[in-house]
Amino acid sequence: MDELHDRQAQATPVWAIFSDLMAALVGIFVLITVWVIGIQLELSQSLQQEKARRQVEEQRRIALEDALRDPLSSGRITFHNGRIGISGSVLFALNSDVLQPEGEKLLSSLVEPLRAYLSEHNELLMVSGFTDDLAIQKGNPRYQDNWGLSAQRALTVTRTLIAQGMPADRIFAAAFGDNQPVVPNQGEASRAKNRRVEITTVPRQDNQAENDE
């Protein structure tokens, strides 16, 4: 009789341990399921946000392209991936940052469509200067290298646009030198393509928008 009681006493903890183990496994399964569902929801939200972001960018691109319809139709500028491209040879003579009459006239034709676009979008204009890979001639008093040349050209275009009516607080200049060529610098035709100025729209900082309101 005593032996039977001893066996029952030993069997009870085994079932209790098994029950606790099953409860723990169920709990782990529930946690994993919740975690997987959370990951799936997060991925779904990320995909939706990325889709919305791309739709906004596409709408911005279409709006800007529509605003620049006349200059684009004349072939005086290019428009690719939201970037307005202007050949350096149209704006400047070789190794110069002095704006040519043809370039000044072209910039004048961009002011109104760009102002109209900015009036409906909370963005800024970035004017970027680019050069080819040829070194600046020694003894040039204006600039020591391609960084200096691209910076001065970007500033010239920026100041010209402001003088022609572009709000000064909606535009800024940037310089890239001979970095980021559109084609390899192989021959004069390729280098001519890399000597350029680009105008790009960029979002404004939130605090800038709040200060204007």
Side-chain angles (χ1 to χ4, degrees), residues 6 21 28 46 53 57-58 72 81 93 139 141 143 147 150 164 198:
D6 290 340
L21 179 61
I28 292 173
S46 297
R53 184 186 66 81
E57 290 182 352
E58 181 65 12
L72 281 170
N81 290 336
Y143 20 76
W147 284 104
S150 65
Q164 293 174 342
E198 292 182 351

Side-chain angles (χ1 to χ4, degrees), residues 84-86 88 91-92 127-129 153 157 195-199:
I84 304 167
I86 310 174
L91 298 172
F92 307 101
V127 179
S128 305
R153 287 182 168 179
V157 172
R195 296 192 297 269
R196 68 196 191 279
V197 170
E198 292 182 351
I199 302 175

Side-chain angles (χ1 to χ4, degrees), residues 12-26:
T12 300
V14 172
W15 284 105
I17 293 173
F18 180 77
S19 177
D20 290 342
L21 179 61
M22 290 301 296
L25 290 175
V26 170

Side-chain angles (χ1 to χ4, degrees), residues 78 80-89 91-92 99 107 110 114 124-132 146-159 161 170-182 193-202:
T78 60
H80 183 65
N81 290 336
R83 295 175 176 267
I84 304 167
I86 310 174
S87 172
S89 61
L91 298 172
F92 307 101
L99 193 63
L107 293 179
L110 299 178
L114 287 175
L124 301 174
L125 295 180
M126 180 174 71
V127 179
S128 305
F130 303 84
T131 68
D132 59 29
N146 283 321
W147 284 104
L149 175 58
S150 65
Q152 287 298 325
R153 287 182 168 179
L155 285 171
T156 296
V157 172
T158 301
R159 288 167 175 159
L161 290 172
R170 304 296 295 272
I171 188 170
F172 66 97
F176 291 87
D178 56 5
N179 296 286
Q180 300 186 20
V182 292
K193 292 181 179 179
N194 293 327
R195 296 192 297 269
R196 68 196 191 279
V197 170
E198 292 182 351
I199 302 175
T200 313
T201 59
V202 295

Side-chain angles (χ1 to χ4, degrees), residues 98-162:
V98 178
L99 193 63
Q100 300 182 127
E102 181 184 2
E104 186 171 0
K105 184 178 180 181
L106 173 58
L107 293 179
S108 179
S109 70
L110 299 178
V111 172
E112 284 306 316
L114 287 175
R115 285 184 61 180
Y117 174 83
L118 290 177
S119 68
E120 299 178 358
H121 297 79
N122 187 34
E123 297 175 343
L124 301 174
L125 295 180
M126 180 174 71
V127 179
S128 305
F130 303 84
T131 68
D132 59 29
D133 63 340
L134 295 179
I136 299 297
Q137 295 179 353
K138 292 183 179 180
N140 192 313
R142 293 285 294 170
Y143 20 76
Q144 296 181 352
D145 52 27
N146 283 321
W147 284 104
L149 175 58
S150 65
Q152 287 298 325
R153 287 182 168 179
L155 285 171
T156 296
V157 172
T158 301
R159 288 167 175 159
T160 300
L161 290 172
I162 293 173

